[in-house]
Amino acid sequence: MGKRVRLTNDTLNSYGYRVLTSGVDVSQYERNPLLLYMHERGKVIGYMKDIRVEDGEITGEPCFDEATELSRQCKKQWEFGSLRMVSIGFDVLETSKDAEYLVEGQTRPTVTKSRIYEVSVVDIGANDDAIVLRKDGTQITLGDGSDCPLPLLNNNPNNNQPQMELKQIALTLGLPETADEAAVNAKLAELKSSKDDAEKMREENERLKLAQITAAVDAAIEAKKITADQKDHFINLGKKVGIEDLNTTITAMTPAVKLSGTLSTDPAPTTLPAKSPWEERMDEIRANLKKQ
């Protein structure tokens, strides 16, 4: 055909990552150098020959077998120039976020080791339906709306969301927006320590309040103002109204008195009390009536 094409190189693709040529294994593909159409299994239109790995890129020459109408069509369009790009399908074996493998504008890790398993003639390279990769046994066609399995870089200048979140957290904590992660973590640790101290103080205050309430209720039982079986009720009342109101309530209560204490033990009087003039007059009238 006489038209050598680039299969891949070290440059940044439109999905934000790079495939290092030095880490691409072509040995398996060279044993079965299929040429597909748009990465679709079953649409074999030929093979790739004279595959070379040199100068940071991999190149080869597409050969159309013309065994199908699709192959014959692709050959004509290739010769005419309306089809002129190819794309690789590869397995991701290893990736790296190390700065030595990153370039300006990169948003995903660099694929440092990979393996080519097919090459396709495509209409638009490194764009819709232009790159197919397999990771952990799953094939992803990036142009069909699938998510790229390579994660976004957190330390990439173009991906500043983590930095924005750190800035917002710093401002919320009362730190300057330029505070780094260490300063934010130190402030969070300080707040946690303060919270723990406040919680301990609150628990101690609650313990002291309960002790005061219990002592007041016990004193009320001792003074016969309440009975022992009312103890829990008055302790719960103290928790609700506070020790001052509880003391006021108990103070207003009268100690219980035994019934025996209300009965007189003094001996009965030996003489009757003097009669009133009216009673004496009535006695005189009754006596006269008896005489008659």
Side-chain angles (χ1 to χ4, degrees):
M1 298 296 295
K3 287 188 177 181
R4 176 168 292 277
V5 293
R6 178 187 299 111
L7 306 185
T8 184
N9 60 15
D10 290 335
T11 60
L12 187 65
N13 62 43
S14 62
Y15 295 101
Y17 69 93
R18 299 192 304 139
V19 180
L20 292 188
T21 300
S22 59
V24 178
D25 181 3
V26 298
S27 59
Q28 177 178 316
Y29 179 68
E30 287 178 325
R31 290 192 290 271
N32 185 36
L34 291 176
L35 180 64
L36 304 180
Y37 177 70
M38 298 294 290
H39 296 296
E40 294 188 39
R41 291 285 301 274
K43 291 188 177 181
V44 179
I45 57 176
Y47 67 97
M48 292 296 299
K49 71 174 185 178
D50 194 20
I51 299 171
R52 299 177 188 175
V53 181
E54 56 188 5
D55 300 327
E57 63 181 14
I58 302 176
T59 61
E61 292 185 23
C63 294
F64 299 91
D65 58 24
E66 300 186 70
T68 63
E69 179 59 33
L70 178 60
S71 178
R72 290 189 289 271
Q73 175 184 332
C74 288
K75 178 183 178 181
K76 289 181 181 179
Q77 290 181 301
W78 189 267
E79 291 174 344
F80 182 78
S82 54
L83 282 179
R84 62 181 68 186
M85 299 188 73
V86 296
S87 174
I88 62 171
F90 65 97
D91 286 311
V92 176
L93 303 180
E94 288 184 11
T95 63
S96 177
K97 300 178 182 179
D98 292 345
E100 62 179 303
Y101 297 120
L102 304 180
V103 297
E104 184 177 356
Q106 190 164 342
T107 59
R108 300 181 189 275
T110 296
V111 178
T112 53
K113 287 188 179 182
S114 60
R115 179 173 51 241
I116 294 179
Y117 62 87
E118 62 95 357
V119 175
S120 288
V121 171
V122 296
D123 48 9
I124 303 175
N127 207 311
D128 290 349
D129 293 330
I131 292 180
V132 165
L133 58 85
R134 289 191 305 205
K135 190 173 188 296
D136 300 327
T138 302
Q139 178 169 308
I140 299 95
T141 302
L142 297 182
D144 67 359
S146 302
D147 292 331
C148 180
L150 301 181
L152 290 170
L153 296 173
N154 290 333
N155 60 348
N156 181 52
N158 292 333
N159 179 28
N160 59 3
Q161 183 176 355
Q163 287 78 3
M164 290 299 295
E165 291 179 353
L166 182 63
K167 175 181 175 181
Q168 292 171 355
I169 293 173
L171 292 174
T172 301
L173 294 174
L175 298 173
E177 63 180 33
T178 55
D180 58 13
E181 186 174 351
V184 169
N185 288 336
K187 184 64 175 179
L188 290 173
E190 177 185 341
L191 291 176
K192 184 178 183 302
S193 177
S194 299
K195 181 179 179 181
D196 292 342
D197 291 342
E199 181 65 19
K200 291 179 181 178
M201 184 176 296
R202 186 192 67 80
E203 292 176 354
E204 180 64 16
N205 286 337
E206 291 297 324
R207 187 186 67 80
L208 292 174
K209 288 180 180 179
L210 179 59
Q212 289 179 312
I213 291 170
T214 303
V217 172
D218 286 340
I221 294 174
E222 183 69 21
K224 308 300 183 183
K225 292 188 175 183
I226 62 174
T227 59
D229 59 356
Q230 294 177 304
K231 180 174 181 177
D232 289 343
H233 169 76
F234 278 90
I235 287 178
N236 291 329
L237 177 63
K239 291 179 180 179
K240 293 179 181 179
V241 303
I243 185 63
E244 292 183 1
D245 287 347
L246 177 64
N247 283 332
T248 300
T249 300
I250 292 175
T251 300
M253 299 174 68
T254 302
V257 179
K258 292 183 179 180
L259 180 60
S260 59
T262 64
L263 299 176
S264 175
T265 57
D266 297 335
T270 56
T271 58
L272 294 175
K275 294 182 180 181
S276 65
W278 183 83
E279 288 176 326
E280 290 178 351
R281 178 59 179 161
M282 289 300 297
D283 287 342
E284 182 181 347
I285 294 173
R286 282 194 290 269
N288 292 330
L289 289 175
K290 286 179 178 181
K291 292 177 179 180
Q292 295 178 0

